[in-house]
């Protein structure tokens, strides 16, 4: 270990389970703590500022390296290795041990792969999206139903590398590993009946985003049909809202309007056939609310409350998101039917009917109308990816986990 470290001119620090993390940070060491359950596990932090060239030398010296996790280019190099078998595959995971800002609460953990459950597929994940729905749980918004430590991420795409008896034909196939472990890790185990096979015609960057938003949009349009109706969308720049708008048009909606918060969203809404309304144009929002037959709200807060208060009788207001972090107020005198939509409430029904069946309808929709282009970041640049998502008007973001080797 020391010999290999010397080849790249770095000082190794070997630690086991119980460590002083603050002291490690003060040393300028990029440090990841091992799980207390991994007793036969050591971590090596290599202290020193690394150039890209020295990181390459470290890899050629035999290190299984993960570089630049501190968010600065090529600063810090970590190897996590079992004491028993240096060739054992490792899993890199984005975990949070406390609730708070994703930038401060998320950390990267490198550890030995545990045994696979006999009924699960093991998937080598290639790409994962960075959605608000991935980041909000880290803040503690859903602390009542999350057990720490948690692994970030709800969706992604990858290839099956191990399968149970009777499913060996799945090895090598691309799947969405649904309802298993958090997806922001290089290997994910998921129940075999929840893995959805991806058609060859669907690219990775589309498949990685095919679960949360498309499934939610398709389910809402099934529950609240829009043919010959006027549809109003809030948070129209979001991925789910765009799916709702485009698919509502294809399903025969008479008119679709979308309230956007960032000016850079306006042109795209025009291009896909959604009438854009600025969130600052209160008069236009009021007029749209009065004529809307169905409203799908992703924002919550004052805009959503204003829409609900102005909608007519026998209309439907569907609250499915909370991007503002503020609730919709349902005061006396509301005439529209108020509905709260949580995708998780519909998973049992979908599981009984078969996820493959649900996605048989979604794949053609995504082929005909793929989501807006995404900006792809190598996994080592995850902090920059989070900053892009948090930036007003930021581009949709995907992490490339293949960059972890």
């Amino acid at each position: 270990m020391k010999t290999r470290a010397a080849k790249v001119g770095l000082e190794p620090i070997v630690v086991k389970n119980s460590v002083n993390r603050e002291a490690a940070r003060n040393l300028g060491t990029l440090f990841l703590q091992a799980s207390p359950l991994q007793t036969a596990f050591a971590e090596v932090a290599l202290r020193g500022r690394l150039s890209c060239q020295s990181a390459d030398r470290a890899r050629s010296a035999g290190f299984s390296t993960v570089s630049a996790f501190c968010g600065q280019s090529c600063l810090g190099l970590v190897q996590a290795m079992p004491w028993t078998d240096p060739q054992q595959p490792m899993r890199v995971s984005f975990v949070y041990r406390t609730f708070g800002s994703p930038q401060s609460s998320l950390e990267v953990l490198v550890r030995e792969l545990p045994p696979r459950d006999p009924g699960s597929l093991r998937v080598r994940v290639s790409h994962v999206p960075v959605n608000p729905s991935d980041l909000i749980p880290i803040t503690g918004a859903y602390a009542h139903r999350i057990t720490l430590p948690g692994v970030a991420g709800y969706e992604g795409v990858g290839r099956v590398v191990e399968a149970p008896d009777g499913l060996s034909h799945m090895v090598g196939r691309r799947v969405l590993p649904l309802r298993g472990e958090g997806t922001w890790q290089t290997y994910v185990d998921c129940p075999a009946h929840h893995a959805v096979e991806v058609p060859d015609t669907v690219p990775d960057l589309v498949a990685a985003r095919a679960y949360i938003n498309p499934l939610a949009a398709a389910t809402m349009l099934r529950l609240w049909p829009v043919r010959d109706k006027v549809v109003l969308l809030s948070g129209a720049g979001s991925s789910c809202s765009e799916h709702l708008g485009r698919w509502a048009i294809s399903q025969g909606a008479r008119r679709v309007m979308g309230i956007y918060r960032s000016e850079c969203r306006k042109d795209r809404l025009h291009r896909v056939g959604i009438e854009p309304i600025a969130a600052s144009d209160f008069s236009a929002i009021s007029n749209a609310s009065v004529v809307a037959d169905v409203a799908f709200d992703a924002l919550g807060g004052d805009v959503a409350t204003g829409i609900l208060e102005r909608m007519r009788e026998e209309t439907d207001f569907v609250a499915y998101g909370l991007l503002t972090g503020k609730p919709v107020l349902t005061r006396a005198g509301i005439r529209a039917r108020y509905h709260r939509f949580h995708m998780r409430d519909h998973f049992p029904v979908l599981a009984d009917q078969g996820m493959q069946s649900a996605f048989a309808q979604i794949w053609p929709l995504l082929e005909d109308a793929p989501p807006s282009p995404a900006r792809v970041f190598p996994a080592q640049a995850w902090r920059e990816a989070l900053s892009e998502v948090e930036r007003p008007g930021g581009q949709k973001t995907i992490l490339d986990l293949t960059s972890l080797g």
Side-chain angles (χ1 to χ4, degrees):
M1 196 181 297
K2 290 183 178 180
T3 302
R4 282 192 284 161
K7 290 183 180 179
V8 293
L10 297 170
E11 177 184 351
I13 305 169
V14 181
V15 296
K16 275 188 179 180
N17 303 321
S18 179
V19 296
N20 186 326
R21 293 172 61 81
E22 189 60 37
R25 289 193 188 98
N26 291 339
L27 286 170
T29 302
L30 178 59
F31 179 77
L32 307 176
Q33 183 176 355
S35 163
L37 299 177
Q38 297 286 338
T39 54
F41 192 83
E43 293 190 23
V44 182
L46 301 177
R47 183 171 62 220
R49 182 174 292 273
L50 303 180
S51 66
C52 291
Q53 184 178 6
S54 62
D56 289 339
R57 288 202 306 272
R59 293 185 183 93
S60 64
F63 281 101
S64 173
T65 62
V66 182
S67 61
F69 276 124
C70 58
Q72 301 177 35
S73 178
C74 293
L75 174 61
L77 186 71
V78 172
Q79 179 197 27
M81 58 185 300
W83 286 17
T84 52
D85 181 7
Q87 303 305 315
Q88 174 69 29
M90 309 302 293
R91 175 160 63 184
V92 182
S93 307
F94 290 78
V95 303
Y96 53 104
R97 303 175 191 275
T98 60
F99 295 118
S101 161
Q103 291 277 10
S104 59
S105 294
L106 271 180
E107 56 185 292
V108 182
L109 182 65
V110 188
R111 50 191 168 175
E112 187 175 348
L113 269 170
R116 178 181 57 83
D117 183 88
S120 293
L121 298 176
R122 175 155 289 172
V123 179
R124 177 63 166 92
V125 181
S126 61
H127 296 87
V128 296
V130 182
N131 294 317
S133 59
D134 298 312
L135 303 181
I136 289 172
I138 301 170
T139 67
Y142 308 126
H144 60 285
R145 55 184 176 89
I146 292 177
T147 301
L148 296 177
V151 178
Y154 289 113
E155 61 182 333
V157 65
R159 291 193 182 273
V160 177
V161 294
E162 293 181 30
D165 293 341
L167 291 175
S168 58
H169 64 281
M170 291 297 296
V171 174
R173 297 191 181 183
R174 284 191 309 155
V175 298
L176 309 182
L178 307 182
R179 308 208 71 197
E181 306 165 314
T183 53
W184 287 20
Q185 46 188 346
T186 49
Y187 291 92
V188 166
D189 292 349
C190 78
H193 62 286
H194 282 317
V196 173
E197 195 166 350
V198 179
D200 292 339
T201 52
V202 178
D204 281 346
L205 298 188
V206 173
R209 296 181 283 168
Y211 177 35
I212 297 296
N213 292 315
L215 192 59
T219 303
M220 283 189 278
L221 290 172
R222 176 175 54 81
L223 295 171
W224 295 281
V226 296
R227 180 174 294 278
D228 296 324
K229 293 182 178 180
V230 176
V231 177
L232 177 60
L233 311 168
S234 76
S238 70
S239 296
C240 189
S241 188
E242 183 175 319
H243 287 310
L244 281 166
R246 297 176 75 175
W247 296 348
I249 293 169
S250 69
Q251 292 178 18
R254 189 165 76 250
R255 183 182 181 189
V256 178
M257 300 171 285
I259 301 169
Y260 64 89
R261 295 188 293 172
S262 178
E263 194 66 25
C264 69
R265 307 292 192 206
K266 181 178 180 180
D267 289 343
R268 179 165 178 84
L269 293 176
H270 262 306
R271 288 196 300 273
V272 300
I274 299 172
E275 300 174 33
I277 301 174
S280 58
D281 191 342
F282 302 115
S283 176
I285 293 174
S286 178
N287 293 336
S289 304
V290 171
V291 300
D293 298 305
V294 184
F296 295 101
D297 173 59
L299 294 178
D302 294 340
V303 170
T305 300
I307 293 171
L308 178 59
E309 290 178 341
R310 290 168 177 79
M311 291 183 71
R312 312 180 318 276
E313 291 182 2
E314 304 302 316
T315 58
D316 293 290
F317 178 98
V318 182
Y320 71 92
L322 212 61
L323 293 177
T324 62
K326 299 177 181 178
V328 182
L329 302 180
T330 54
R331 294 186 276 251
I334 298 300
R335 293 168 294 174
R337 294 180 289 253
Y338 174 84
H339 312 275
R340 189 78 180 96
F341 176 82
H342 290 287
M343 190 65 234
R344 67 177 180 273
D345 295 336
H346 301 271
F347 283 138
V349 175
L350 290 171
D352 290 341
Q353 295 175 345
M355 283 291 188
Q356 297 289 354
S357 176
F359 274 89
Q361 303 173 37
I362 290 174
W363 295 128
L365 293 172
L366 289 174
E367 290 186 55
D368 292 340
S372 57
R375 183 177 174 189
V376 181
F377 289 81
Q380 293 91 334
W382 63 275
R383 291 190 185 278
E384 289 89 338
L386 265 60
S387 296
E388 179 66 15
V389 172
E390 295 163 351
R391 181 175 65 83
Q395 194 171 353
K396 310 306 179 186
T397 300
I398 288 179
L399 289 178
D400 179 358
L401 301 190
T402 65
S403 61
L404 299 178

